[in-house]
Amino acid sequence: MYSQALDERDGVADEAVNAAFEQRVAAEEKVEANDRMPAAYRKTLIRQISQHAHSEIIGMQPEGNWITRAPSLRRKAILLAKVQDEAGHGLYLYAAAETLGVSREELVDQLLAGTAKYSSIFNYPTLTWADMGAIGWLVDGAAIMNQIPLCRCSYGPYARAMMRICKEESFHQRQGFEIMVTLSRGTEAQRAMAQDALNRWWWPSLMMFGPHDSESTHSDTSMRWKIKRFSNDELRQKFVDVTVPQADFLGLAVPDPDLRYDDATGHYVFGEPDWSEFKAVLRGEGPCNAQRLAHRRRAHDDGAWVREAAQAHAAKQQAEQVA
Ligand SMILES: [Fe+2]
Ligand SMILES: [Fe+2]
């Protein structure tokens, strides 16, 4: 698999191979690890899957911050399980990326060097317990909106990883919403905390869908290759349509003065996120970018002995098999 993979990455795949590939993808056939594929398809998937994996791993930090301060044993157990799920998602996704001929070490090095992207949402701080509710409800909710169509992605290993991830994400969304229900029906102070969390996480959640379709660079090809099934703006609209009635149910106000339901279209009309903030966070200027990377580097260094021990054990077993 490796030599073939490298051939294609060097652009050896010829016109006929690419044409056959386009036909297969158009016919909704899954592409598997050993199949011929255009170099650009491989590159796009490696970029997307690895960014997704990094997001899961960095995404453990904002919520990990509250495990020791969860208000009850039940909440602590749920949050712990949720954060652990995110680690698992990272691992499935690194494994899916590896089927494309790249090593996990290489991808992790890119993250630690600061040259790889991950979802900007995780560069915001978690200031109160209500943020655990808002993150599950809004951030995992937005992630599901993005990820359910990925279960039908043309690349088989990614699609299969996403099926399991989406099942777990739906639990994440529900546990977050349940926290919001509890807080919004609680004391005045708890309701205020829930509202404050919604105020801070609403706009960053809308930005999770990425820039407007008119400014999204990779969209057209990704749609043709059936990596992407819906555009950024379509997914953002779906998210708003689903989430606003949930905010109404909670009795909380969505912090958007332009928000209104349009009877004619059956959709909500909503305001513009602050795209200059989005770009600043992408450039590394978000409130927690430096902290998130520094923490990941420290955790990576702390885990060096585990990796070394595992490698030494593997080498020993291999030597025994040879002998
Ligand atoms: Fe996840
Ligand atoms: Fe999640």
Side-chain angles (χ1 to χ4, degrees), residues 36-115:
R36 301 296 300 261
M37 59 185 90
Y41 177 83
R42 187 185 297 279
K43 215 173 125 198
T44 300
L45 275 168
I46 290 176
R47 190 191 61 240
Q48 182 171 332
I49 301 174
S50 62
Q51 282 180 10
H52 191 165
H54 299 327
S55 302
E56 301 284 355
I57 296 300
I58 295 285
M60 296 167 74
Q61 291 184 42
E63 289 168 297
N65 181 35
W66 280 88
I67 290 172
T68 54
R69 289 174 288 166
S72 69
L73 185 58
R74 175 175 174 266
R75 292 290 183 203
K76 193 194 290 281
I78 294 170
L79 186 60
L80 199 56
K82 197 247 182 198
V83 172
Q84 223 164 21
D85 280 354
E86 306 300 6
H89 297 172
L91 300 189
Y92 314 152
L93 289 165
Y94 284 128
E98 282 192 309
T99 65
L100 290 157
V102 67
S103 75
R104 180 162 147 195
E105 287 77 9
E106 196 181 321
L107 299 175
V108 170
D109 284 348
Q110 290 168 0
L111 173 66
L112 298 177
T115 55

Side-chain angles (χ1 to χ4, degrees), residues 56 85-86 89 140 147 165 169 172:
E56 301 284 355
D85 280 354
E86 306 300 6
H89 297 172
D140 291 275
Q147 291 173 4
I165 289 176
E169 293 302 351
H172 298 171

Side-chain angles (χ1 to χ4, degrees), residues 28-273:
E28 296 286 342
E29 270 179 53
K30 286 276 181 268
V31 179
E32 297 297 340
N34 291 327
D35 296 346
R36 301 296 300 261
M37 59 185 90
Y41 177 83
R42 187 185 297 279
K43 215 173 125 198
T44 300
L45 275 168
I46 290 176
R47 190 191 61 240
Q48 182 171 332
I49 301 174
S50 62
Q51 282 180 10
H52 191 165
H54 299 327
S55 302
E56 301 284 355
I57 296 300
I58 295 285
M60 296 167 74
Q61 291 184 42
E63 289 168 297
N65 181 35
W66 280 88
I67 290 172
T68 54
R69 289 174 288 166
S72 69
L73 185 58
R74 175 175 174 266
R75 292 290 183 203
K76 193 194 290 281
I78 294 170
L79 186 60
L80 199 56
K82 197 247 182 198
V83 172
Q84 223 164 21
D85 280 354
E86 306 300 6
H89 297 172
L91 300 189
Y92 314 152
L93 289 165
Y94 284 128
E98 282 192 309
T99 65
L100 290 157
V102 67
S103 75
R104 180 162 147 195
E105 287 77 9
E106 196 181 321
L107 299 175
V108 170
D109 284 348
Q110 290 168 0
L111 173 66
L112 298 177
T115 55
K117 282 193 194 133
Y118 58 84
S119 179
S120 286
I121 193 82
F122 302 118
N123 291 314
Y124 290 87
T126 43
L127 303 180
T128 71
W129 171 254
D131 289 12
M132 300 305 98
I135 288 181
W137 173 36
L138 300 173
V139 176
D140 291 275
I144 294 172
M145 226 31 116
N146 261 323
Q147 291 173 4
I148 286 196
L150 289 173
C151 298
R152 294 191 291 129
C153 167
S154 57
Y155 188 57
Y158 191 27
R160 289 188 290 272
M162 289 320 300
M163 285 177 200
R164 179 156 172 194
I165 289 176
C166 282
K167 285 187 185 142
E168 293 176 349
E169 293 302 351
S170 101
F171 151 69
H172 298 171
Q173 195 272 350
R174 283 178 211 184
Q175 66 84 37
F177 191 69
E178 197 226 343
I179 292 175
M180 296 304 276
V181 169
T182 306
L183 292 175
S184 63
R185 292 181 183 163
T187 63
E188 196 58 47
Q190 286 174 316
R191 266 202 304 281
M193 195 162 77
Q195 180 64 56
D196 171 64
L198 171 56
N199 293 348
R200 285 182 290 105
W201 290 96
W202 176 254
W203 293 108
S205 299
L206 293 195
M207 294 180 206
M208 281 176 74
F209 297 94
H212 281 306
D213 298 346
S214 51
E215 287 171 40
S216 179
T217 38
H218 306 294
S219 273
D220 286 353
T221 327
S222 285
M223 292 276 226
R224 195 183 78 234
W225 281 336
K226 302 198 191 292
I227 296 172
K228 224 173 143 67
R229 299 276 178 169
F230 298 98
S231 75
N232 295 355
D233 285 328
E234 282 170 336
L235 290 167
R236 191 169 11 246
Q237 182 70 55
K238 270 180 190 243
F239 175 75
V240 172
D241 287 343
V242 166
T243 311
V244 172
Q246 295 172 345
D248 291 343
F249 176 82
L250 293 171
L252 300 176
V254 173
D256 178 355
D258 298 324
L259 184 72
R260 62 178 174 84
Y261 186 73
D262 183 356
D263 277 322
T265 61
H267 294 292
Y268 283 90
V269 177
F270 54 98
E272 255 328 281

